[in-house]
Amino acid sequence: METTLRGVGVSHGVAIGEVRHMGTAVLEPPAKQIPAEEAEREQGRARQAVEAVAADLIARGNLAGGEAQHVLEAQAMMAQDPELIADVERRIAVGSTAERGVYDAFAAYRALLANAGEYLAGRVADLDDVRNRIVARLLGVPMPGVPDSDEPYVLIARDLAPADTALLDPALVLGFVTEEGGPTSHSAILARALGVPAVVALPGAGEITEGTVVAVDGSTGEIFVEPSPEKRAEMEGASAARKAALSAVTGPGATSDGHKVPLLANVGGPGDVPAALEAGAEGVGLFRTEFLFLDDSKQAPSEEKQIAAYRAVLEAFPEGRVVVRVLDAGADKPLDFLTPGDEPNPALGVRGLRSLLDHPDVLRTQLTALSRAAEGLPVYLEVMAPMVADRADAKAFADACREAGLRAKFGAMVEIPSAALRARSILQEVEFLSLGTNDLAQYTFAADRQVGAVSRLQDPWQPALLDLVALSADAARAEGKSCGVCGEAASDPLLACVLTGLGVTSLSMGAASIPYVRATLAKHTLAQCERAASAARAADSADEARLAAQAVLSGE
């Protein structure tokens, strides 16, 4: 009998197939004591397992490339954390086996993360995955992972570790459903990069019996268990119509009456460029530069290394627009040479621009590298700072850009509510704004982007978040400057129309979402988008806002 469940749709498309569950294993080793003379050997085993797991994560990242590579490299750094390894060795020295020492040391670190504020608590799933991989290697048992199947299937898991998500084969994994996670979790971001339909934050998903046929709608978040033939035909027809509509619309982003809305790509490095070009991106709206700095947490990359990476992206978009975000370190992206290690709540501490202003040499080197990378190229380079709180922050960044001789537009990201509320003041110092809706939602609602239990507050349709977007866009319009969106909100085609109606001047997203947004914008006039935006802001909840906008755009 057909039943309907609803989670949070995070990656467009429809998947229909039999359920396969992520493999599980008991990975808690027995607590037994070893003789003192075996401690050195056990410590060696632990170090070898850590290095092997770190190498495997890096290798998986190299295979996957793009966003996945950066996530997996960060996990490898987590595995090799010197303090964590030292704790493992201390536990072994007083009698633990290698596997038990690893298990207990990670458990202690896990408790620290879980109590360090919601932002860092979101890293617990990544830490658990690293621990499981090290312990499994020491125990000589298979890692829990993606099931082995010759036939395509829909994957269901409590959550998906980045190492598993990164190497999913879209030819076999039709789509996936997780019990935890949120719209901006690593699983969601990687699913969009892969182009795999996905639904997260669905409580009870693990109770769906292996082999049951389900239909997954990654746009609406609906899961139909044992769908009827009519429902399957309806969803397959809608999917085919959607694909036809995507292929029929090409060229620059615009509404049906010709209002231009440049569609840009979010990239993490040169590896993401081919997909962006294939999707017809008009440039880059968010170039995350962290990937260069995560290679070595002890020191910043050289100016020459930065120049080579930046130029590879800039050359791919001749006469296009490339917006670079300078290093956003801190919180879940700590760097030993840059960020404090003893902050009680790093997400609310020295993060982003604050870290760079405390280390002006790091900022100066990056800005100089960007300037040199753009020399001789016709590209329109724009550089923006993360975590700008007020006009003083914006001025400090603009001054640093000028001192470095950077010939580019300087901008500020709007991720803190104060920046939206005082956007016009900030625009006295910079030339554009870019809304990072993921963090803006997180700080507006005190709701961590990785915690499934608060995912409703991370929904970019929340009217309060739309109000902050409107404030920023209005300020930019009043100053004759631009205001784009580079957060995950831009990847929702319906919401893209609402953002356009709010006055946003460009949209940047994962490459896989660009065709969907282009096709949807092309069906509606600017006036319709403005009416949809007004209807959404008049609502009292995210669900009501979504339905109100949908009603306007569908002509109901």
Side-chain angles (χ1 to χ4, degrees), residues 446-533:
D448 189 280
R449 56 196 283 187
Q450 302 294 333
V451 178
V454 293
S455 62
R456 78 172 185 86
L457 296 172
Q458 265 291 329
D459 191 327
W461 282 94
Q462 285 284 356
L465 188 67
L466 300 181
D467 287 344
L468 293 175
V469 173
L471 278 173
S472 303
D474 287 347
R477 185 187 301 110
E479 294 296 327
K481 296 179 179 179
S482 63
C483 177
V485 168
C486 63
E488 294 297 317
S491 65
D492 179 337
L494 185 64
L495 186 51
C497 293
V498 168
L499 294 173
T500 298
L502 291 173
V504 165
T505 55
S506 66
L507 300 167
S508 189
M509 64 209 76
S513 298
I514 291 176
Y516 291 91
V517 172
R518 181 190 291 120
T520 304
L521 276 174
K523 292 192 295 185
H524 304 290
T525 65
L526 176 59
Q528 287 177 309
C529 293
E530 290 171 340
R531 288 197 296 273

Side-chain angles (χ1 to χ4, degrees), residues 248-272:
V249 181
T250 59
T255 58
S256 62
D257 55 341
H259 174 72
K260 293 183 178 180
V261 188
L263 302 181
L264 312 170
N266 293 343
V267 305
D272 292 336

